[in-house]
Amino acid sequence: MTERQSIHGQWSSRLVFILAATGSAVGLGNIWKFPYITGEHGGGAFVIVYLLCIAVVGIPIMMAEIMLGRRGRQSPINTMADLSKEEGANGGWSLIGWSGVLAGFFILSYYSVIAGWALAYVVRAGAGTFTGVDAAGIQTIFNDLISDPERVLAWHTLFMLMSMFVVAKGVKAGLEKAVTYLMPALFVLLIVLVGYAMNTGYFVQGLEFLFTPDFNKLIYECEVVAGLEQCEISGSPVLVALGHAFFTLSLGMGAIMVYGSYMPKKTSIAGSAVLIAGLDTMVALVAGMAIFPIVFANGLEPGAGPGLIFQTLPIAFGAMPGGHFFGTLFFVLLVFAAWSSAISLIEPAVAWLVENRNMTRIRASVWIGLTTWVLGLGSVFSFNIWSGDEFKLFDRTFFDLLDYLAANIMLPLGGLLIAIFSGWIMKTAASQDEFAMRPAGYKFWWNLIRYFSPLAVIAVLVYANIPLIKGLKVLLTSSMISSQQVIGIV
Ligand code: PHE
């Protein structure tokens, strides 16, 4: 087969690919989402499942996505259509690309709203709003922001315009350069924050929370109702950990595939994937180590939800010397981290519009950005005028629903299909040629992608959803007192 060429261009080197893919992976998922879902699901055990998912599901699937992208050299929709033709398989595999485009819309719509909060915090930190303010005051500042739909809408609009602008220009000219400098800076700043957290006197509690597993927390979800702790059997924490592994590595929706399609030939896919996943995991763990000591030092709630970092880190900035400067810098860098992820959420759809609808990049970016912006209104309102129970479905706001559906259902399903395609449909000669690995390494990947990764994803999806578990849930709730004794919570 003659090698395909991408009409969209190519990264200038392996390093640039690594930077772009790391820019996609490291984002709000690491600094905003990881701490708050870890807090909601009780810490240590959740973190262990998340790390396992990264190692045995995330890395092999990331390798598969890069490999498919580089072989197809087009938008994920067309790449999958072409590769399935090449393998004599059903053209329906392009569904992977379509569901990725949809997941990209869903994720970016709320991602942009949260990135908007971060933008707003750049201004607040810059104005010195946090200086000397206590935990309660910081909470008020946060609530004032999110309860005002007009302000949040304005920030969401600005962030969306920024993302559209970069994608319209093409990735190479703008963001790629910025990311080179900004990612290391963000990491250094997180370390500075960990330094502060060490001095809160609660660093050990923070570490214990993050790394001491209590496996009951993976099986039972508890809440306090009328002074009594009620627990239910639930597969949800394990599913959330798996979903987050996909989310944080940007897998299962074509972002890494499309970045792979711009990757030069003759660069190591396996080495790149391990490096990207390692950097991404490190940022998340360091963020956790900075945030939880501050949570415990100030008597805050680890399960406070999506506002967690916005209610903890400003306390540190308000109290530390130079906090005015560091605080502003931190939120600027957070915006950059979000920005370099946002563009990869739109790129698969834009690439397809350019390929199949003959659009210019500018036109395509405007269309995709506009549609996503409208969908984002639902998340803007989820924290104010639509936060009431009458606007909830399955006890979730619009924002929660989109996040749950995209991250915990669509990305794992997309990843499952990618694993099945590259392990069972694609001939080994093809994948072997693309990877150019030593036989032992290839064999290892091949076993993971053929058996282990798909089975793990299926097991978690089934475990979190089987009616048996739902039935048990009902049983437990109706005999709550005895169930509490069984699991020794009272
Ligand atoms: N990985 C990004 C983050 O952690 C989010 C993302 C998901 C980006 C899916 C692209 C695709 O913030």
Side-chain angles (χ1 to χ4, degrees), residues 24-30 107 111 247-250 253 255 341 344-345:
S24 164
V26 175
L28 294 176
N30 309 61
I107 296 175
Y111 204 84
F247 184 90
T248 190
L249 295 178
S250 307
M253 52 78 58
S341 300
S344 69
L345 284 159

Side-chain angles (χ1 to χ4, degrees), residues 377-415:
L377 296 179
S379 296
V380 169
F381 299 146
S382 291
F383 297 92
N384 36 67
I385 52 180
W386 288 358
S387 63
D389 282 343
E390 68 276 26
F391 294 102
K392 286 186 182 165
L393 201 65
F394 305 116
D395 208 23
R396 288 171 202 276
T397 60
F398 185 85
F399 155 80
D400 283 328
L401 269 181
L402 267 195
D403 180 39
Y404 194 88
L405 181 68
N408 300 344
I409 310 291
M410 295 177 79
L411 298 188
L413 278 180

Side-chain angles (χ1 to χ4, degrees), residues 72-362:
R73 292 238 185 257
Q74 296 157 73
S75 65
I77 296 173
N78 289 330
T79 283
M80 290 315 299
D82 256 29
L83 291 184
S84 48
K85 203 187 294 158
E86 186 178 306
E87 300 295 339
N90 190 303
W93 285 99
S94 60
L95 178 75
I96 294 177
W98 286 109
S99 96
V101 165
L102 196 65
F105 274 129
F106 285 1
I107 296 175
L108 185 59
S109 78
Y110 66 81
Y111 204 84
S112 166
V113 174
I114 310 294
W117 296 357
L119 273 172
Y121 267 55
V122 171
V123 176
R124 281 166 188 56
T129 316
F130 307 134
T131 312
V133 182
D134 64 0
I138 297 287
Q139 217 145 6
T140 311
I141 294 173
F142 177 68
N143 288 334
D144 282 350
L145 170 70
I146 63 164
S147 57
D148 182 348
E150 279 173 34
R151 261 193 285 175
V152 179
L153 181 61
W155 291 116
H156 160 56
T157 310
L158 177 62
F159 185 80
M160 198 54 100
L161 286 172
M162 287 162 52
S163 308
M164 282 153 67
F165 176 76
V166 175
V167 180
K169 271 188 78 89
V171 181
K172 249 181 140 165
L175 214 81
E176 199 181 284
K177 270 209 200 83
V179 168
T180 323
Y181 299 101
L182 295 169
M183 285 300 145
L186 179 69
F187 193 67
V188 171
L189 237 105
L190 276 172
I191 304 272
V192 170
L193 278 172
V194 172
Y196 172 86
M198 278 178 168
N199 288 317
T200 54
Y202 285 79
F203 193 61
V204 176
Q205 274 95 325
L207 286 188
E208 270 172 12
F209 181 77
L210 268 177
F211 297 114
T212 313
D214 170 2
F215 287 104
N216 272 336
K217 297 235 167 85
L218 290 183
I219 306 172
Y220 303 100
E221 280 196 306
C222 301
E223 57 178 342
V224 178
V225 180
L228 249 184
E229 191 164 35
Q230 302 202 338
C231 301
E232 300 184 343
I233 286 197
S234 162
S236 165
V238 181
L239 179 62
V240 174
L242 176 80
H244 188 63
F246 280 96
F247 184 90
T248 190
L249 295 178
S250 307
L251 296 179
M253 52 78 58
I256 290 295
M257 195 185 291
V258 83
Y259 275 15
S261 76
Y262 310 145
M263 191 191 196
K265 189 90 186 168
K266 292 207 184 73
T267 44
S268 155
I269 293 179
S272 309
V274 170
L275 185 62
I276 297 161
L279 288 171
D280 185 80
T281 308
M282 218 153 65
V283 174
L285 293 179
V286 170
M289 285 188 247
I291 286 160
F292 286 110
I294 302 176
V295 169
F296 297 122
N298 291 282
L300 298 171
E301 190 43 58
L308 188 65
I309 66 156
F310 296 93
Q311 293 167 28
T312 48
L313 296 184
I315 303 178
F317 294 127
M320 66 164 87
H324 190 163
F325 171 75
F326 285 136
T328 316
L329 189 62
F330 174 83
F331 286 107
V332 168
L333 295 173
L334 184 61
V335 167
F336 269 96
W339 203 6
S340 59
S341 300
I343 56 174
S344 69
L345 284 159
I346 331 187
E347 183 65 20
V350 167
W352 183 79
L353 285 178
V354 172
E355 285 161 11
N356 286 46
R357 292 281 174 270
N358 232 340
M359 279 191 198
T360 59
R361 277 191 80 88
I362 300 182

